[in-house]
Amino acid sequence: MRPRHLRRRGLGAATAALVALCAGQTLTALPATAATTAPATTVPAPTSPVTAAEDQAARAIAGSLTDSDWRARVRTAALTSEEVDVTALAAHAGSRGLRSTLTAADRRIAAAKGLGAEVGPLLRLRLGDASMRSALAAGTTPWVAAATQDEDATTVTAYDSHGRTHTLDARKAPAHPVYVVDIDSSTALAAGLDVLTEELARYGVRSARQTTAAKQATDRSPTLAATGGFWTTRITAVELSDDEEPWIKGDAEIYTLVTGFGQDGKVRVDPVDMPYLDNDGTVYRPNQILVNWSSYKYDLADAVMMEEDGSTNYHDLAQAIATALLTITDQGAYIPLVNAVLDAIPAEWWTDDPDYVDSWYTLARSDNGTRYGARGNGWMTVQPYYVPEL
């Protein structure tokens, strides 16, 4: 598992809502060697449909590990790959009851995220921490837990093959091996951004297709018209800050919402996937295009960096953003849109996801150098980059 540590910091009203919601939920962390055992019925209900589906899958997988052949098959898969498509593994093993449970959980997850069935199975199983490999390889029957989406969690609930629960320290991995049930966040984000783009277009929060926008841009620039290319802003280096997170939490999946006024004078939002941003405290040099200026009326745009954290419903996210941005009209001068995007997201979403990572106000087409995020959680080095016509 790749480490990832991207936590929220202060966010005005959104943070106040988060603190208020979490005020009565503080848990006492347990030593790594300690675990309390209780009947499965005492576990509090999960807080989101995705977490509920993951939790149900974790219980079912834990119970299935009483079968020695199946247990060995899962152990081999977990030791030889970072993530296991456990639904497919169950199908190949002929485990009809488990396969049915996992398939139903996959469908509920896709529906909760606003994704179609064509996205395929999203459930994944992985070993909680590399330190558990020796015990797993030696034949210890692992416990199974659902991945938490809460960076502030202090405990983790794991299930054993006899249906008992074990409460573990979320900050220190236990010696006993634990399988973590999570989702394939890379696949979910890629499909989700497609949905987000389509929904924003349906709500009208996008200007004309790039071919039309590029033509309008060339009408204003004889040089551009002669060459047929367009100017962009390219990210040459980027780094995000690190913060401690639970060992059970999965990999980061980062995307950025680029906002500005399109060539038609309407607010537009362009989602940009950033799949390479895996580790905190690491400088990445992607040479990725962030802004295509031929799509924008002004030579200024904003960028809001987010983290897909599991339960995001992309239909709902698109509707929330569109509802807020459609009220903003072009006044003949650029208006920063970061706050409008953040305010558009319902306050309760900040308790879980989508996580707000950082934002960059008024990126200019001429920017050439390092720009630090407004909340100090990251920086980007950008440069103007001309894309010629083929």
Side-chain angles (χ1 to χ4, degrees), residues 56-65 70 74 86-87 89-91 93-105 123:
Q56 183 181 23
R59 291 174 186 243
I61 293 168
S64 74
L65 296 178
W70 166 246
V74 178
V86 67
T87 305
L89 190 67
S95 181
R96 189 169 300 175
L98 180 61
R99 178 182 60 185
S100 176
T101 299
L102 298 182
T103 299
L123 281 173

Side-chain angles (χ1 to χ4, degrees), residues 249-260:
K249 197 166 168 60
D251 289 342
E253 294 297 337
I254 303 296
Y255 63 100
T256 295
L257 302 177
V258 178
T259 65

Side-chain angles (χ1 to χ4, degrees), residues 7 11 25 29-30 34 66 85 141 149 160 200 222 225 236 254 266 274 284 294 308 318 334 353:
R7 298 185 60 191
L11 187 63
Q25 301 176 14
L30 300 176
T66 55
D85 183 343
T141 301
Q149 307 303 332
D160 67 23
L200 288 172
T236 59
I254 303 296
K266 296 179 182 178
M274 308 178 85
Y284 292 91
S294 71
E308 149 65 37
Y334 183 73
D353 56 43

Side-chain angles (χ1 to χ4, degrees), residues 36-118:
T36 58
T37 303
T41 55
T42 64
V43 179
T47 58
S48 76
V50 172
T51 303
E54 290 176 345
D55 188 75
Q56 183 181 23
R59 291 174 186 243
I61 293 168
S64 74
L65 296 178
T66 55
D67 183 316
S68 59
D69 290 340
W70 166 246
R71 186 168 67 247
R73 185 187 289 262
V74 178
R75 179 174 63 241
T76 299
L79 289 171
T80 54
S81 39
E82 279 192 9
E83 292 186 332
V84 179
D85 183 343
V86 67
T87 305
L89 190 67
H92 292 151
S95 181
R96 189 169 300 175
L98 180 61
R99 178 182 60 185
S100 176
T101 299
L102 298 182
T103 299
D106 267 317
R107 289 190 185 124
R108 288 198 300 277
I109 289 170
K113 294 184 70 60
L115 306 176
E118 66 276 4

Side-chain angles (χ1 to χ4, degrees), residues 1-12:
M1 180 180 70
R2 296 171 295 183
R4 35 92 81 201
H5 304 296
L6 310 175
R7 298 185 60 191
R8 293 178 296 272
R9 294 195 178 94
L11 187 63

